Amino acid sequence: QVQLVESGGGSVQAGGSLRLSCATSTSIFRGTSLAWYRQAPGKQRELVATITISDSTNYANSVKGRFTISRDKSKSTAYLRMNNLTPEDTGVYYCNGVTFRSGRPASLFSWGQGTQVTVSS
């Protein structure tokens, strides 16, 4: 089993903030780029943000300027700081390893349970 445990979700009003955490194994953290995904009801899972081993980051246009992905090497944990949340950000958020070798980001491991984020108007 691959250990990828998400936490930190909750319910907030529009304009609020949340910080999500993704605890990983040391081997995954050191050798794999990481990503946050989300899935809203009735929609497919979508890529939100990625961070490489060298800490290069990319974001979906819908969250650019509001979300920040980072990683803490001492804890083998990735984070997603979400500011100025809107109801459109509602969904289950997942973390996963990601590869770019196919020319576009692709998940590497099985999906965990994710963490629920609910943003009210």
Side-chain angles (χ1 to χ4, degrees):
Q1 295 182 356
V2 176
Q3 185 172 341
L4 292 164
V5 182
E6 304 95 341
S7 63
S11 298
V12 298
Q13 293 187 341
S17 299
L18 286 171
R19 186 199 191 199
L20 308 183
S21 298
C22 173
T24 72
S25 68
T26 300
S27 60
I28 291 175
F29 191 91
R30 291 181 176 179
T32 309
S33 298
L34 297 172
W36 284 97
Y37 299 77
R38 68 186 180 189
Q39 186 170 25
K43 296 184 178 180
Q44 295 186 23
R45 182 182 287 112
E46 64 174 340
L47 183 64
V48 174
T50 60
I51 184 166
T52 68
I53 299 171
S54 60
D55 289 335
S56 177
T57 60
N58 277 291
Y59 300 89
N61 289 334
S62 59
V63 307
K64 195 172 299 182
R66 299 187 298 118
F67 290 12
T68 302
I69 187 172
S70 62
R71 58 167 75 200
D72 185 334
K73 296 179 180 180
S74 67
K75 298 181 178 180
S76 296
T77 299
Y79 301 96
L80 186 69
R81 166 59 69 178
M82 306 183 294
N83 294 325
N84 195 23
L85 287 162
T86 74
E88 288 69 39
D89 296 316
T90 293
V92 180
Y93 284 68
Y94 304 87
C95 64
N96 210 323
V98 64
T99 179
F100 303 95
R101 289 183 290 180
S102 65
R104 65 181 185 87
S107 59
L108 289 172
F109 310 117
S110 300
W111 299 103
Q113 293 297 308
T115 184
Q116 176 71 44
V117 172
T118 302
V119 185
S120 60
S121 300

